[in-house]
Amino acid sequence: MSATERTQIRAQAQAILEQLAGPQATLRDDQWVAIEALVVQRRRALVVQRTGWGKSAVYFIAAKLLRGEGHGPTVIVSPLLALMRNQVAAADRAGVHAATINSSNVADWDDIHHRVRGGELDVLLVSPERLNNPDFRDTVLPALARDAGLVVVDEAHCVSDWGHDFRPDYRRIRTLIAELGDGIPVLATTATANDRVVDDVAAQLGVGGGDTLVLRGGLDRESLRLSVVKAGSPAQRAAWLAAHLDSLPGSGIVYTLTVAQAHDIAALLREHGHPVAAYTGATEAAEREQLEADLLANRVKALIATSALGMGFDKPDLGFVVHLGAPSSPIAYYQQVGRAGRSTSSAEVVLLPGREDQDVWRYFASVAFPPEALVRKVIRELGVDRPLSTAALEPLVDLNRTRLEMVLKVLDVDGAVRRVKGGWLSTGQDWTYDEARYRKLDEARKREQQAMLDYQNTDGCRMAFLRAQLDDPELGDGERCGRCDNCTGARYDAVVDANAERDTRQRLMRPGVELTPRKQWPSGLEKLGLELKGRISDGPAAGRVIGRLTDLGWGARLRRLLDEPDAKVPDDVVQAAVQVLAAWDWQTRPTAVMALDSDTRPLLITSLATELARLGRLTDLRVLRYAPARRPATAANSAYRVAALHGAWSPPDVSDVSGPVLLVDDVTETGWTLTMASRVVRAAGAPAVLPFALASVS
């Protein structure tokens, strides 16, 4: 291609950029290098550039140019619904016909597939999970792989080792890329990748090697002012946030580590008069879209969010990002703070770390990839000719639904199983449990957790620290940002007004969380010898717990209590239980109380039941004793757990009971223990059972 032709193509690229970003936008040289590699040279490229660099502009411009030359549609694999919505809007501004396939627009899938086959779409955005949907994989994907003009893997760091924790579906992309027709360019983009992740992405996607363009720029964010505020206890940190939120510029995001914390902090801040809302992975898709629109339009001061609001959410003037609790890695932290200050001269980034952060890190690490014996049992239970659905497979293996689905996806990527209509099949291929890889992953995870602790305590430049953790190639020796609290010496005051702290603690420590009863038996119980199916008609009523172990209020107190040796229940916990009972809007007041038998905390549970009987003037039915032949119920899988709990207790004597029984336990995790125990008490003659526990796991 001549120099004149290249000049003409660059001029076209500049015109498309102006449609995307406005007439003031100018195509940077490094953006043109990437576009030229894809459009002119038809090469593969890996672009690792900071948030706000303009990676999406590169692939939309390339898509439009390639379509203009008669090539097929661009396929963009994109991880989050928020990202997809923003990208479709951007495509429309540039005159690019785009559509998205994801879990929130199921009714549109058939029409979109038809438009793809008819050549009506320039860009198709798909979630990684969609790549292995049998219909999509078998009827749509082959044509796309053959005829695509460009394949883009956005947020490509998800392909890396963390893939089996975050999205194992991302690792399927290598299969798509391997099946591409000759000369189809591939672009992988991310803002958050250190050397380890870059190498792994290159290996996973086949975008390494001598012919691949690697564009890796500096990661400094000149608008961000990084600070760490060690404000103390959860109540002190929440009070600090309530006191300082109005002084933070514009509108922003407050990140928490758990769903429970997001809701607790949102409620607390609203009580202080701040217009905020909670945004988590449990938020319905339509509500998420409305909340994003509210933040974009500055109708809220902040969204109190988990990591569900992250990659791809684009509000150029986002004024601040606050973390109430530290993420477990500098990569995750840099990714989230990168939401702020994209088009502003200054944005505030504040970390409020807590001692309990490491407890949350350990919990999420504990639900990573299961041990080899469990994984091999999954493979053994699958046949090669008759598929099993996930629901049918669940009673056959001791994995809960979430972990089982993760294992199946990883095995699918590894070629040991295959998803088909109706469920999953074994491929019969040999499979190796990569213990060395998982051990290496665990070691890397621990190093990155330590790095987050080091970030909190460093007296050096905080931006330089993060850039070093991400192996920024442009970071110079001794370089400092000149903006963070350590560079300027300008720090937020961590001291919290004593009255505000006391008020916040009282609000956070208001005990009482509703415990929703189990309403449906897990499928497949007949395979475990139990004739139980459909709706549960003889279980407990709705119950209560004092608090969740992940709460910012009662969470820390309950975790401390449960870590101590078994002893009589402390007075403060009794008083909290009384408050919960006093606020309980039951239809009929309980007339009796009974403690669940326990191998680990018998004194704690029975003393609580005794105190509640005394204070509430209830009949003390003592303890629901284990049956002699009872088996310990250690299973995580619902069907296995129900089977182990069936027959676990001896029938009690409730002949003198005239009303509901309050059934007391220490911790509830799945709800099955209280459900199965309640059935025993009801079968003995109790008219109703009200479950009560000190804590719930989540």
Side-chain angles (χ1 to χ4, degrees), residues 223-558:
S223 63
L224 300 186
R225 181 183 181 273
L226 304 176
S227 299
V228 174
V229 179
K230 296 181 179 179
S233 69
Q236 289 171 316
R237 288 182 288 130
W240 188 96
L241 180 61
H244 288 81
L245 188 61
D246 275 343
S247 67
L248 295 173
S251 56
I253 301 171
V254 176
Y255 281 109
T256 65
L257 296 184
T258 70
V259 171
Q261 291 172 5
H263 286 287
D264 289 347
I265 293 301
L268 174 75
L269 293 175
R270 283 195 297 268
E271 290 177 5
H272 279 274
H274 298 294
V276 301
Y279 183 114
T280 75
T283 306
E284 292 291 336
E287 186 181 355
R288 287 197 202 189
E289 191 168 354
Q290 182 59 55
L291 291 173
E292 292 161 20
D294 289 343
L295 182 57
L296 288 168
N298 299 315
R299 290 190 289 267
V300 293
K301 178 65 176 179
L303 291 182
I304 317 304
T306 63
S307 58
L309 180 64
M311 291 179 294
F313 177 76
D314 186 13
K315 177 176 168 60
D317 62 342
L318 196 78
F320 62 89
V321 169
V322 175
H323 279 80
L324 203 63
S328 61
S329 80
I331 293 177
Y333 188 61
Y334 182 87
Q335 173 75 49
Q336 291 173 354
V337 302
R339 308 270 68 79
R342 294 187 176 191
S343 68
T344 59
S345 59
S346 179
E348 293 294 308
V349 173
V350 182
L351 174 61
L352 292 157
R355 288 190 298 272
E356 69 278 6
D357 297 349
Q358 295 177 65
D359 294 335
V360 179
W361 300 349
R362 279 191 291 270
Y363 170 75
F364 285 120
S366 72
V367 293
F369 202 62
E372 181 174 3
L374 276 175
V375 181
R376 291 207 176 276
K377 183 165 176 55
V378 173
I379 299 173
R380 286 197 305 272
E381 294 293 347
L382 291 173
V384 296
D385 51 8
R386 192 179 69 174
L388 278 180
S389 67
T390 308
L393 182 60
E394 189 177 6
L396 305 177
V397 295
D398 185 14
L399 289 169
N400 64 34
R401 180 68 62 88
T402 301
R403 294 187 82 196
L404 176 57
E405 288 175 342
M406 177 184 70
V407 167
L408 287 167
K409 289 176 179 181
V410 172
L411 290 174
D412 187 5
V413 171
D414 291 345
V417 307
R418 177 174 172 81
R419 187 181 177 192
V420 297
K421 284 187 177 180
W424 300 86
L425 290 172
S426 169
T427 63
Q429 296 182 17
D430 289 339
W431 177 78
T432 301
Y433 185 86
D434 196 347
E435 184 174 354
R437 176 176 174 237
Y438 298 135
R439 185 169 58 251
K440 179 181 176 183
L441 170 60
D442 186 56
E443 292 169 354
R445 180 185 285 113
K446 290 175 180 176
R447 286 195 301 271
E448 294 187 1
Q449 290 176 356
Q450 183 58 51
M452 277 309 299
L453 298 177
D454 294 341
Y455 172 80
Q456 298 167 27
N457 296 320
T458 184
D459 57 3
C461 173
R462 297 198 193 276
M463 180 59 77
F465 184 99
L466 292 177
R467 292 172 64 190
Q469 286 295 315
L470 272 74
D471 300 309
D472 185 341
E474 296 186 7
L475 178 63
D477 291 342
E479 185 175 343
R480 301 183 72 94
C481 71
R483 303 178 303 274
C484 72
D485 54 359
N486 284 344
C487 284
T488 64
R491 303 182 186 281
Y492 286 103
D493 187 352
V495 177
V496 175
D497 178 78
N499 291 329
E501 178 194 348
R502 184 167 53 253
D503 176 67
T504 301
R505 178 175 288 107
Q506 289 174 350
R507 291 172 188 256
L508 287 176
M509 295 296 285
R510 282 182 300 209
V513 176
E514 183 171 344
L515 194 60
T516 303
R518 287 283 190 170
K519 298 178 181 178
Q520 195 83 10
W521 292 114
S523 58
L525 284 173
E526 68 277 3
K527 297 176 182 177
L528 300 177
L530 297 181
E531 295 300 322
L532 298 171
K533 59 183 178 180
R535 292 187 62 82
I536 299 172
S537 59
D538 55 354
R544 294 292 188 277
V545 296
I546 292 176
R548 308 178 191 92
L549 293 179
T550 54
D551 286 346
L552 284 172
W554 271 97
R557 176 68 183 99
L558 292 169

Side-chain angles (χ1 to χ4, degrees), residues 594-598 606 620-626 652:
M594 177 180 286
L596 275 179
D597 208 347
S598 173
T606 55
D620 190 348
L621 297 175
R622 304 299 178 185
V623 179
L624 180 63
R625 294 291 180 190
Y626 286 132

